[in-house]
Amino acid sequence: MKYLPGEPQQLPGNSTALAGYQASHFQFEVSGGVATLTLNRPERKNPLTFESYAELRDLFRALAYADDVKAVVLTGAGDNFCSGGDVHDIIGPLTKLDMPGMLAFTRMTGDLVKAMRHCPQPIIAAVDGICAGAGAILALASDIRLGTARSKTAFLFTRVGLAGADMGACSLLPRVIGQGRAAELLYTGRSMSGTEAERWGFFNSVQEPEALLDAARAFAQGLADGPTFAHGMTKKMLHQEWDMGVDEAIEAEAQAQAICMATNDFHRAYHAFVAKQKPQFEGD
């Protein structure tokens, strides 16, 4: 990973700063605690390459230690989100790999989703236009999804002779839109319109295209200004409790909440309430 200037500063608590990170295969900027990550190949509808997959994986892993990033906006340049794996840069070369090479690739793409789910910052996907294949998975792996009516989301793996089970789709998608609807999209590979995606719960809201990125950034800024340690705990519990029974989940949440009660943000909120003021959270 490249940083400007030099290497990231190592801070107390095993944290670093990512504001100076210079991405090689997409755009990345940090402002007001919000990182905006823009897939930036608009002439090809922002497809992914071997290199961009790997850099995205490494960046989301690094976000777990980024003290200056409180929320992330994930979007695409131009009028599209992401068309998935590049046909020429990925699909073609994959047909020439042996099985171990193919497995190394599919594990690497899965590691990107794992990194997204395990980074503590909420990820807000701003989805316009084409959102297909691995691009649809990037949106799915985000915590919040804002779309447009003209967007088209397709888990089109079966259309190229692959299983709909890719990068965690069979686990994540049913939890977002329900088993039957997920099965339909994963079996058929058909496109889901923006209005349908909102109705099914895939999109949290639908925006006008020209207002989409501002809406996503405003949402992210609201989270970044909030109790970010608690947001990270919320994200962790949302993910962790998928494999728990109710009793285990209640105990896990008791422990998580007790930890949050020991934070300064919890005390700030109390004193602000007593003073009839709005709390100013600092994420500690």
Side-chain angles (χ1 to χ4, degrees), residues 70-85:
K70 310 300 183 183
V72 179
V73 172
L74 176 60
T75 191
D79 297 329
N80 296 286
F81 182 70
C82 177
S83 57

Side-chain angles (χ1 to χ4, degrees), residues 137 155-159 161-171 173 182 185-187:
I137 299 293
F155 300 86
L156 43 67
F157 307 107
T158 57
R159 298 207 168 187
L162 297 175
D166 194 79
M167 297 171 69
C170 286
S171 175
L173 192 58
L185 294 180
L186 295 176
Y187 278 125

Side-chain angles (χ1 to χ4, degrees), residues 23-34:
S24 298
H25 300 97
F26 43 82
Q27 293 179 345
F28 182 81
E29 59 179 308
V30 178
S31 177
V34 175

